[in-house]
């Protein structure tokens, strides 16, 4: 079993943090945005300086899965002064909204360049077992439920058709100034996730919400893995 999964289980954490989830995915060869934990304001500044601006700061807590709901996500941070200030603001906001939460610190991430936002999810169906879901980010999934599903393991044909069959498919050709997405890169990502899920029955569900799709690749900017009891 994967080491991060193992140690989360020992700690009794069934939901991996974004940092842990991204680490696991990255080890499986799935592209994720560089993400590191800062336990102090000073650490956040030195991580940001090393990564290069702009950066994104997010609350990191095993008890907070919807980080935006607690004002825990700030994108487009361009200076070290801003990193210092936002670090304090994020921790204070999380404590105010969720006083009982165990807060590890703040994750410092490279700011991914704009792409088409997609969502890839895995859930387990009582009959079919692991199933992958694909959709476009934001309102397309939440409001329009414009998603497709395939049973794991996926064939390349499955990956191809599940992308093509969503109603918003044309939006992958680029909209609102974002570059067109490579369908092949998305297929590759779906196949890697299928393979990973197939090899890890201890994973109950997961999502890349969102990943950014580009003309030459796709990268997860947020990820969550939930383990079986
Ligand atoms: P939540 O826990 O609320 O889902 P996310 O980590 O998904 O928080 O962040 C919210 C939004 O911020 C994302 O949908 C994405 O548009 C943007 N975002 C998050 N991380 C990055 C990043 N590293 N680079 C660029 N944009 C990001
Ligand atoms: Mg998210």
């Amino acid at each position: 079993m994967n080491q991060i999964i193992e140690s989360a289980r020992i700690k009794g954490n069934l939901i991996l943090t974004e940092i842990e989830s991204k680490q696991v995915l990255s080890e499986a060869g799935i592209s994720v945005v560089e993400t590191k934990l800062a336990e102090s304001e000073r650490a956040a500044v030195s991580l940001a300086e090393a990564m290069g601006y702009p950066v994104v700061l997010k609350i990191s807590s095993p008890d907070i899965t919807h980080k935006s709901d607690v004002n825990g996500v700030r994108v487009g941070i361009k200076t070290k002064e801003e990193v210092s200030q936002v670090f304090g603001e994020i921790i204070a906001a999380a404590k105010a909204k969720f006083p009982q939460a165990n807060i590890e610190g703040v994750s410092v991430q490279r700011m991914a360049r704009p792409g088409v936002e997609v969502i890839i999810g895995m859930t387990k169906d009582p009959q079919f077992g692991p199933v992958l879901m694909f959709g476009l980010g934001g309102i397309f999934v939440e409001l329009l439920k414009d998603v497709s599903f395939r049973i794991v393991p996926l064939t390349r044909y499955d990956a191809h058709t599940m992308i093509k069959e969503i109603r918003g498919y044309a939006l992958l050709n680029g909209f609102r100034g974002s570059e067109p997405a490579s369908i092949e890169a998305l297929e590759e990502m779906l196949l890697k996730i299928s393979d990973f899920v197939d090899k890890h029955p201890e994973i109950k569900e997961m999502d890349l919400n969102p990943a950014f799709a580009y003309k030459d690749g796709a990268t997860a900017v947020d990820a969550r893995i939930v383990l079986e009891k």
Side-chain angles (χ1 to χ4, degrees):
M1 198 185 289
N2 177 288
Q3 250 186 32
I4 295 156
I5 293 179
E6 182 84 358
S7 64
R9 287 192 111 173
I10 290 165
K11 283 187 283 183
N13 290 343
L14 291 181
I15 304 179
L16 303 193
T17 63
E18 177 187 352
I19 297 172
E20 291 167 334
S21 303
K22 282 177 167 172
Q23 217 168 319
V24 170
L25 291 172
S26 154
E27 284 170 20
I30 296 154
S31 169
V32 301
V33 138
E34 184 182 4
T35 302
K36 296 206 164 118
L37 177 68
E39 291 174 325
S40 68
E41 187 183 312
R42 269 185 61 182
V45 169
S46 65
L47 285 171
E49 294 277 305
M51 250 174 224
Y53 298 99
V55 293
V56 174
L57 260 54
K58 298 182 195 174
I59 191 72
S60 183
S61 162
D63 304 318
I64 300 173
T65 44
H66 299 290
K67 300 171 293 290
S68 306
D69 290 354
V70 299
N71 295 325
V73 178
R74 290 281 287 275
V75 302
I77 298 167
K78 293 189 192 74
T79 64
K80 64 175 182 224
E81 290 74 22
E82 222 183 319
V83 172
S84 286
Q85 192 188 334
V86 171
F87 181 94
E89 286 172 6
I90 285 181
I91 302 270
K95 282 189 173 156
K97 288 224 174 174
F98 206 154
Q100 336 76 287
N102 161 26
I103 294 167
E104 292 177 332
V106 164
S107 73
V108 180
Q109 317 188 358
R110 202 179 268 282
M111 172 115 178
R113 68 183 203 270
V116 182
E117 288 201 19
V118 302
I119 296 178
I120 298 173
M122 184 278 277
T123 50
K124 282 182 176 165
D125 180 273
Q127 266 192 318
F128 301 116
V131 171
L132 291 197
M133 184 205 84
F134 175 79
L136 297 176
I139 64 156
F140 296 100
V141 167
E142 282 152 32
L143 202 69
L144 305 174
K145 315 276 182 237
D146 182 17
V147 293
S148 57
F149 295 90
R150 289 293 184 282
I151 298 167
V152 171
L154 269 66
T155 62
R156 183 167 287 276
Y157 181 76
D158 285 333
H160 187 73
T161 51
M162 85 183 288
I163 296 167
K164 285 214 143 177
E165 81 185 27
I166 59 168
R167 278 175 284 144
Y169 173 72
L171 296 174
L172 288 168
N173 294 324
F175 69 114
R176 287 203 202 136
S178 62
E179 68 191 56
S182 156
I183 305 305
E184 215 177 293
L186 285 172
E187 283 171 23
E188 233 22 84
M189 188 177 235
L190 285 165
L191 288 172
K192 278 185 187 159
I193 293 170
S194 165
D195 188 48
F196 168 71
V197 162
D198 206 27
K199 288 186 179 133
H200 291 276
E202 71 276 18
I203 296 177
K204 184 176 181 233
E205 57 188 77
M206 67 177 227
D207 49 72
L208 280 56
N209 184 0
F212 286 3
Y214 303 114
K215 64 176 184 297
D216 54 359
T219 294
V221 305
D222 186 22
R224 187 176 67 114
I225 292 177
V226 183
L227 304 176
E228 295 280 7
K229 281 210 187 69

